[in-house]
Structures are given as C-alpha cells and as structure tokens.
Amino acid sequence: MMKTAVISGADRGLGLSMATALLAQGWRVFAGRFLEEYALLDELQAQYPELYPVQMDVSSRESILEAYAEVCRHTDHVDMVISNAAYMGGPNSSTFKGELPIDFALLEYSFRVNALGALQLVEIFLPLLEKGDMKRICFISSEVSSVTMMHRDAGFRYTMTKTAVNVACRILYNDLFPRGYTFRLFQPGWMRRVLPDGSRAATGTVDSDESAAVAVAQFVADREDEQRLVLTDYLGNEWAY
C-alpha cells in the first residue's frame, strides 16, 4: 500500500513544507487547507499528483468530518496523521489584570483550534489509521508548551493551548501505544511566516523547509525506544514538557 498521510494546516509554512517533503519521498498526502488567499497547495499539486488538498477548519468538528469523508473517497487507510493547524493571530502579550487584559473569547477560540481541533482530528481519523501499517500520530508543539521551562509572566493563549496538546498526546499515548500506535511531539522553532506568494517574512529565525526536513525525518523513521514519549526540536534536542 502507498504510504498515506493527513496534515492539518498545510496551506503554507511548516504544513506545506512537510507535505512537500513527504511527497518527495513517494507518499500520498491529504493536505488540509483553510486560508482562501493561499494557492500554494494548488501549485504543489501540479508537481505532485498524489497531493490531495482537502478543505478543513479544525475549529469545526463538522468540517473535520467532511474532510474525513473526502479522504475516504480516495483511500481506505492512513499511515500518519500530523496535527499542525494552529491559531496564532491576535495579541499574545496579554497580562493578568494588566494593560493588555486577557481576551477570553480569543483564548477560547485558540483552544478550539490548537487543542480541541488536534484531539478531534485524531479521533475522527482513527478508523483509517487502524487500517494503516504505520499507525503514527504526530503533534506540532512549541517551546512555550513546557511547564517545567516556563519563564513567561504573560501571554496565556498560545502557551496554554500548546501545553494542552502535550497533555492530550500523553493521554493518547497511554491509550493507543499498547495497540501499536507510535507518537511524535515536535517543536519547530520560531519560523519565518510564509506569505501568499511563497516569500518569507523578515521576522523569525528558522525557515519552514529546514524545520520540516527535520520533522519529517523524525516522523517517518522508527525509533528503538518508541516506548518513550519525547518532545524534540528542529535541532534534534529533547525538551522537558
């Protein structure tokens, strides 16, 4: 069977770069798209016919179910699910009772995308994963997800939601590892944002292609110590989480 992956949030950046890397290795990729102003997936599809862009808004369970139905029309199995979609918009420097008060509506939306969306993605695609050979579940985490290493005194939204992703991954591991599933938690670094024309923004320290190359290498390779759930970064380091 052709190795098959599902990636959420693949319109641009890390998701698009991971899709490209997997396609170059002969994988079939179902790439979640959400941003209407980006056509980079269409350009990539012209090069790789095994790329299937799929409309997917992970903040909506109905949208994930519709994406699942679309994927089922093309394949009877999935080997890997990569939860990459994340919401990073809006002010993130909010302080408790400070000059920039917490926007709780924005915090709730962030949870729906970053944490609940990640968990629902796995739950909904589990029947296809059951039929795959690899049974690998990958989560894109963040350096700000580590409780042990947390030094910030503001910016609740992204930190809280990515920490929730780590906890969800741990619980899923406890449940599914005995059933043959393996897991990856990856910290991609502060990436330069990819613009609609494919160019990079000035801010950021890591290019998405470079981070994706490391991520995909970790995601597709088996480890001798699969019983260990670890958070690794784009430099190959392990992080406490």
Side-chain angles (χ1 to χ4, degrees):
M1 295 189 297
M2 176 177 284
K3 293 294 185 185
T4 303
V6 172
I7 307 174
S8 65
D11 303 276
R12 65 180 181 184
L14 184 65
L16 181 69
S17 295
M18 289 190 295
T20 304
L22 286 170
L23 289 163
Q25 295 184 25
W27 282 62
R28 173 172 49 194
V29 176
F30 293 91
R33 70 186 320 164
F34 173 69
L35 302 170
E36 295 182 359
E37 66 270 28
Y38 281 78
L40 300 175
L41 276 174
D42 298 317
E43 297 173 12
L44 187 61
Q45 189 181 33
Q47 182 180 355
Y48 293 103
E50 292 303 328
L51 171 64
Y52 296 83
V54 179
Q55 197 69 31
M56 187 190 302
D57 174 3
V58 298
S59 72
S60 165
R61 182 175 182 82
E62 181 180 354
S63 179
I64 303 175
L65 286 168
E66 290 173 354
Y68 175 79
E70 177 63 21
V71 172
C72 287
R73 281 191 274 272
H74 299 278
T75 184
D76 63 355
H77 74 282
V78 166
D79 295 282
M80 180 188 299
V81 167
I82 303 175
S83 175
N84 171 71
Y87 176 68
M88 300 182 68
N92 196 36
S93 58
S94 56
T95 54
F96 195 67
K97 301 297 183 182
E99 295 182 1
L100 290 174
I102 301 168
D103 185 331
F104 283 98
L106 195 61
L107 178 60
E108 181 180 353
Y109 178 72
S110 299
F111 263 105
R112 287 207 311 273
V113 175
N114 300 352
L116 301 182
L119 185 59
Q120 289 189 98
L121 180 72
V122 174
E123 181 220 359
I124 289 170
F125 277 90
L126 199 63
L128 287 179
L129 279 166
E130 280 284 344
K131 299 176 182 177
D133 292 331
M134 184 174 281
K135 293 181 172 61
R136 183 146 301 158
I137 301 172
C138 310
F139 292 95
I140 302 303
S141 187
S142 169
E143 61 183 273
V144 301
S145 69
S146 173
V147 174
T148 302
M149 302 178 67
M150 176 54 59
H151 62 274
R152 299 187 179 193
D153 59 3
F156 292 88
R157 177 173 46 79
Y158 199 64
T159 55
M160 289 177 66
T161 58
K162 283 301 185 179
T163 300
V165 168
N166 293 353
V167 174
C169 184
R170 178 79 240 187
I171 296 173
L172 286 169
Y173 168 89
N174 293 344
D175 180 26
L176 297 176
F177 178 74
R179 294 161 50 182
Y181 286 81
T182 51
F183 291 79
R184 299 289 184 270
L185 266 174
F186 184 74
Q187 194 278 96
W190 182 29
M191 290 177 295
R192 289 185 285 274
R193 186 164 61 91
V194 176
L195 304 177
D197 64 357
S199 63
R200 269 54 171 175
T203 56
T205 58
V206 184
D207 187 83
S208 59
D209 288 344
E210 297 172 0
S211 188
V214 178
V216 168
Q218 293 184 13
F219 293 175
V220 302
D222 294 327
R223 297 200 324 251
E224 293 183 358
D225 59 345
E226 290 288 2
Q227 74 281 1
R228 294 179 62 234
L229 181 61
V230 295
L231 171 61
T232 57
D233 68 12
Y234 64 100
L235 296 175
N237 301 315
E238 290 189 12
W239 287 62
Y241 68 94

